[in-house]
Amino acid sequence: MLVRKLTRSLWSTLRVEKRFLASEPVKPATLDKDGLELAQAEALDKDICLLVDEKDNFIGTATKRECHKVGPDGDVLLHRAFSVFLFNKRGDMFLQRRSSQKVTYPDYYTNACCSHPLYIDEKPEEIITAARRRMNHELGIPLDQLDPELFTFMTRVHYHDPGDGVWGEHEIDHILFFQSDVKVKPNSDEISEYCFVPKAEFNSFLPTLEGPITPWFNMIRRHRLKLWWDNLHRIKELAEPEKIQKFVDKK
């Protein structure tokens, strides 16, 4: 019991110490006319996302802004995304808090990296290529440490969440696992705090978080995370990349 209390105390201390670790100190945000941070607003119109049908077939493009704007009826354009779950070699999972400057789900806690493949050079970007690009940008991980062979494409998840009623999500999310010891230097425009959480401490650590968790991370947590985390040593055997899951909670 004493050891467990000490462990939790150390984790609490560690979390506070790493709350604002980022590539640069957090600077006051410069806002556009809509109240959005300038870099985030620029990405909304610059990034071209991939529209898909319910079978994840590419059917067209739209800006990131168009893909996340909630319509009057609550609809959001269905588009392709990815979510990376990062583990170190000990099996601890990387957990981050999204920057308060993010347009969607600011200050929410989530898994390591959640973003979109883009339409680049007149063609859809590959998922692993997009994941490496964003992990380098958001987490500061050098590209030479992001070996494409270390990614495991676990499955796809189709979900819809209206967010705050203005900005939301409707994605077919490609779930990727990546396990390696990498150098992390987060970008403060994207991430405000982070830590690696041991599996044995995860359930007790969640109630100590100072904000909600993202809907996609929560779905994986409820429906698949324990199974996959318990089996990191044989994770490729559990991969079902051909499937598109629609998780439904029992009432």
Side-chain angles (χ1 to χ4, degrees):
M1 182 63 71
L2 179 60
V3 173
R4 181 169 179 79
K5 286 183 179 178
L6 178 60
T7 302
R8 293 190 65 180
S9 175
L10 287 173
W11 257 110
S12 178
T13 301
L14 181 61
R15 183 170 62 90
V16 172
E17 288 177 352
K18 291 194 172 184
R19 183 171 183 176
F20 295 111
L21 286 182
S23 56
E24 297 178 356
V26 178
K27 301 174 182 177
T30 303
L31 306 181
D32 73 354
K33 60 182 177 60
D34 296 320
L36 302 176
E37 193 274 330
L38 286 180
Q40 299 286 338
E42 180 181 355
L44 284 179
D45 297 314
K46 178 182 176 183
D47 290 354
I48 305 300
C49 296
L50 310 177
L51 299 179
V52 295
D53 62 20
E54 291 200 353
K55 294 184 178 180
D56 198 28
N57 295 309
F58 171 58
I59 59 172
T61 63
T63 65
K64 185 177 179 182
R65 181 185 297 271
E66 293 167 331
C67 284
H68 294 87
K69 194 73 173 174
V70 179
D73 55 0
D75 283 349
V76 182
L77 291 174
L78 180 60
H79 57 282
R80 187 174 293 162
F82 66 83
S83 289
V84 180
F85 287 72
L86 169 65
F87 301 85
N88 60 26
K89 290 185 178 180
R90 291 187 307 182
D92 304 334
M93 184 177 68
F94 186 98
L95 188 69
Q96 61 128 310
R97 190 176 196 182
R98 292 165 66 87
S99 166
S100 60
Q101 300 171 9
K102 298 286 282 185
V103 176
T104 56
Y105 308 94
D107 293 319
Y108 277 59
Y109 290 87
T110 196
N111 51 293
C113 184
C114 319
S115 192
H116 311 86
L118 301 178
Y119 194 70
I120 300 175
D121 296 331
E122 303 298 320
K123 62 182 179 181
E125 186 180 23
E126 296 292 335
I127 289 290
I128 301 300
T129 302
R132 295 178 72 242
R133 171 176 57 81
R134 290 303 298 183
M135 291 174 76
N136 174 254
H137 173 74
E138 294 186 21
L139 305 179
I141 302 173
L143 286 173
D144 61 8
Q145 294 185 16
L146 294 169
D147 184 349
E149 296 299 319
L150 294 181
F151 287 88
T152 301
F153 181 8
M154 297 304 301
T155 193
R156 292 172 286 179
V157 178
H158 182 176
Y159 77 97
H160 173 234
D161 186 88
D164 61 5
V166 178
W167 304 102
E169 290 287 11
H170 188 195
E171 300 180 330
I172 292 185
D173 198 5
H174 294 226
I175 309 300
L176 304 173
F177 267 38
F178 184 91
Q179 185 174 18
S180 184
D181 288 338
V182 293
K183 294 180 180 178
V184 178
K185 191 176 181 181
N187 179 345
S188 62
D189 289 336
E190 303 288 340
I191 295 170
S192 62
E193 60 181 277
Y194 76 93
C195 62
F196 278 92
V197 185
K199 183 173 63 175
E201 294 295 320
F202 180 68
N203 288 335
S204 59
F205 185 60
L206 283 181
T208 72
L209 298 178
E210 298 171 351
I213 61 178
T214 58
W216 58 88
F217 179 54
N218 202 28
M219 278 190 302
I220 296 300
R221 178 189 68 85
R222 293 196 310 262
H223 296 280
R224 287 292 186 276
L225 184 57
K226 184 180 187 306
L227 172 66
W228 291 342
W229 204 345
D230 284 345
N231 290 278
L232 284 178
H233 60 288
R234 61 182 193 97
I235 195 64
K236 293 189 183 296
E237 298 175 23
L238 302 181
E240 299 177 308
E242 73 286 351
K243 291 188 176 181
I244 300 176
Q245 317 277 353
K246 279 190 175 182
F247 296 131
V248 178
D249 287 327
K250 295 180 180 179
K251 302 258 180 157

